[in-house]
Amino acid sequence: DGLVVEALDLLDVLIAPNAPDLAKRTERLMELLQMADAAAVRSLLGKVGNGSDESDLSKALRWRFSQANPRESFLLGLDDPPSSQLKDVLLWDFRGWANLDPSGALRWYAEAEERNLPLAKEEEMLIAVFAARARLDPKRAIEGFRQHFGVDAGSEAKLAIPRLVGSLRNQGERMGFMVALNRNTAEDSGDGSFRETVVSELSKALVKEPFDEVSLLVDGTFTAEERVKFARNLTQGGFLNPNTWPRWAPWIAALDLPAERGQPIDTMAVIVARNKKRFKDVQWLADLPAGPQRDLAVESYAMVSLESDLDEAIRWMDYLPAGERRKGVAANVARYLEMKDPAAAEALRSKEGVE
C-alpha cells in the first residue's frame, strides 16, 4: 500500500513535461515500478480512472512499467481482455523478461505450453523462446529452431536468426552456442545457409567486442573460410577502434591471404593512413612479421601518406625490402618531391633505380 500511495503521487511526471523536480521524481517512480508487482500496478490503474486524461496516464504508466519490470508487466497483461494490441504488448514484455531472466521466462512458457495457451503458439513467442534457450541450452535451441523453420535458412529463418544470435550476452554464451552449432551442422549441414547466416550475424556483434575474447572464439569455432570473412568484417567499417586494431592486425596477417589490393590488411592500412588523427600510433605496422602481408600494408600506408606528408611516406618506404613495391612507392614519392626539390627527386630515383 505504501508503494502504491507514493507512486500515485509521482504519476504526474508521466504526462506533464514541466512537472516539478521532473528528473528526480521520474527516477524515483521507475525505482518503485521496478519493485512493484502486477497487483500493485493494477491498483494504481484502478485509481487513475477512465477519463480522457486518465487514459493517457494509464497508457504512460503501462509503458513505464513495461520498461521497469517486464516480467510483472507481462503477468499484468495476461489478465486483460484479449486483443491484437494486447498480444503485441505481451510479446514485447515477454522478450524483455527473457532478456533479463531467461530461466524464469522459459518456465512460464513450459507451463503455458502444457495448458495449450494460444499465446504460446504465436510465431513471435516461439522466436523469443528459441532466443532464450540459446543462452541456456544452445543445443536444444538450435535443434528446435531448425525443426521449426527448416534445416536451411529460408526467408523466415533469416529474419529470425538475428534475434536468435542477438540474445547471446557474453563470451561463455557465445562459445557454448558455437560449440553446439558446430556439432549440429556437422551432423546435418543442409545447404550450408543456416550456419552461414548464423555466423554472419554473430560476426556483426563480435567485431565490437574485446580482442582476447573474440579471437579465442573465432580461432576455436570458426572454419578457415569463416575466419577470412570475419577479417573482412573487421576492416569494412564495423570495427575501427584505434586501441584494439594493433592486436587484430597481426591476427589478420597470420591468415596469410594473398598480398593483393583489397585484402583486409591492405584495406585497414588505407583507412589508418586516411584517419591519422584517430590512429596516431602506427607502431603495429612496423611490428608486423616481415613478409608479404607487412610489405602490402606498408606500401598502402606509404602511398596514401604521401598525399599529405611526404616525409612520412619516405620513412615508411624504408621499411620495404628491395623490389617492385619499394620501387612503386619511390616513384610516387619522387613525383611529389619533384615539385619542391627536383634535385632530391632525381637523387631518389637514382638511388632506388626508378625512372
Side-chain angles (χ1 to χ4, degrees), residues 242-296:
N243 299 319
T244 310
W245 173 250
R247 303 192 68 188
W248 278 116
W251 183 89
I252 289 179
L255 295 175
D256 199 25
L257 299 172
E260 302 169 352
R261 292 279 182 265
Q263 293 291 358
I265 200 75
D266 166 67
T267 302
M268 196 58 207
V270 172
I271 291 173
V272 169
R274 289 177 176 165
N275 294 273
K276 291 181 180 179
K277 289 184 179 180
R278 291 188 62 218
F279 295 87
K280 295 178 181 178
D281 181 7
V282 291
Q283 183 59 38
W284 61 269
L285 189 54
D287 291 342
L288 287 174
Q293 294 294 310
R294 188 179 80 163
D295 293 347
L296 171 63

Side-chain angles (χ1 to χ4, degrees), residues 17-38:
N18 297 318
D21 297 322
L22 181 66
K24 182 178 179 180
R25 295 174 70 228
T26 300
E27 181 180 1
R28 177 55 182 163
L29 177 60
M30 293 302 286
E31 290 175 353
L32 293 173
L33 292 178
Q34 284 179 342
M35 296 184 288
D37 59 15

Side-chain angles (χ1 to χ4, degrees), residues 199-200 202-209 211 214-215 218-219 222-236 239 248 251-252 255 264:
V199 172
S200 175
L202 183 60
S203 295
K204 293 175 185 177
L206 291 178
V207 295
K208 302 174 185 177
E209 298 296 325
F211 171 82
V214 177
S215 60
V218 173
D219 286 337
F222 280 31
T223 66
E225 182 181 353
E226 289 164 353
R227 287 194 289 274
V228 172
K229 289 182 178 179
F230 180 74
R232 297 190 188 286
N233 283 339
L234 285 170
T235 58
Q236 290 177 350
F239 191 84
W248 278 116
W251 183 89
I252 289 179
L255 295 175

Side-chain angles (χ1 to χ4, degrees), residues 11-304:
L11 292 184
D12 62 301
V13 302
L14 299 179
I15 56 173
N18 297 318
D21 297 322
L22 181 66
K24 182 178 179 180
R25 295 174 70 228
T26 300
E27 181 180 1
R28 177 55 182 163
L29 177 60
M30 293 302 286
E31 290 175 353
L32 293 173
L33 292 178
Q34 284 179 342
M35 296 184 288
D37 59 15
V41 174
R42 180 70 70 189
S43 176
L44 272 173
L45 290 168
K47 296 179 185 300
V48 165
N50 294 313
S52 59
D53 291 338
E54 288 81 5
S55 177
D56 290 341
L57 182 55
S58 297
K59 293 176 182 177
L61 175 57
R62 292 292 290 262
W63 171 240
R64 290 289 189 163
F65 189 40
S66 175
Q67 291 177 306
N69 195 335
R71 174 186 182 275
E72 291 298 322
S73 179
F74 176 78
L75 298 178
L76 174 68
L78 288 177
D79 290 332
D80 287 340
S83 70
S84 59
Q85 183 177 4
L86 175 64
K87 182 180 70 176
D88 292 340
V89 171
L90 287 171
L91 292 169
W92 174 273
D93 284 342
F94 184 84
R95 288 194 293 269
W97 178 14
N99 285 337
L100 296 173
D101 176 21
S103 296
L106 289 174
R107 283 194 298 271
W108 177 88
Y109 176 77
E111 294 175 1
E113 199 174 26
E114 285 185 6
R115 292 161 54 195
N116 205 29
L117 293 184
L119 186 63
K121 300 176 183 179
E122 290 289 334
E123 184 81 353
E124 285 295 307
M125 175 64 74
L126 291 174
I127 295 173
V129 167
F130 293 140
R133 281 183 183 151
R135 301 175 62 188
L136 304 176
D137 188 352
K139 178 178 181 294
R140 185 180 177 190
I142 293 170
E143 290 173 350
F145 190 96
R146 298 186 81 185
Q147 182 178 4
H148 179 73
F149 286 105
V151 171
D152 302 319
S155 58
E156 292 183 357
K158 287 181 177 178
L159 291 174
I161 284 173
R163 295 254 301 277
L164 179 72
V165 176
S167 67
L168 305 173
R169 291 288 180 269
N170 54 52
Q171 172 71 356
E173 291 180 2
R174 295 185 186 109
M175 183 65 79
F177 185 88
M178 280 304 301
V179 169
L181 179 69
N182 285 347
R183 291 172 179 167
N184 181 277
T185 53
E187 295 173 359
D188 186 358
S189 63
D191 65 5
S193 60
F194 174 73
R195 181 186 177 94
E196 181 182 3
T197 307
V198 167
V199 172
S200 175
E201 286 298 324
L202 183 60
S203 295
K204 293 175 185 177
L206 291 178
V207 295
K208 302 174 185 177
E209 298 296 325
F211 171 82
D212 287 334
E213 294 183 2
V214 177
S215 60
L216 182 66
L217 177 66
V218 173
D219 286 337
T221 63
F222 280 31
T223 66
E225 182 181 353
E226 289 164 353
R227 287 194 289 274
V228 172
K229 289 182 178 179
F230 180 74
R232 297 190 188 286
N233 283 339
L234 285 170
T235 58
Q236 290 177 350
F239 191 84
L240 300 179
N241 186 331
N243 299 319
T244 310
W245 173 250
R247 303 192 68 188
W248 278 116
W251 183 89
I252 289 179
L255 295 175
D256 199 25
L257 299 172
E260 302 169 352
R261 292 279 182 265
Q263 293 291 358
I265 200 75
D266 166 67
T267 302
M268 196 58 207
V270 172
I271 291 173
V272 169
R274 289 177 176 165
N275 294 273
K276 291 181 180 179
K277 289 184 179 180
R278 291 188 62 218
F279 295 87
K280 295 178 181 178
D281 181 7
V282 291
Q283 183 59 38
W284 61 269
L285 189 54
D287 291 342
L288 287 174
Q293 294 294 310
R294 188 179 80 163
D295 293 347
L296 171 63
V298 169
E299 178 195 22
S300 297
Y301 185 86
M303 286 291 213
V304 175

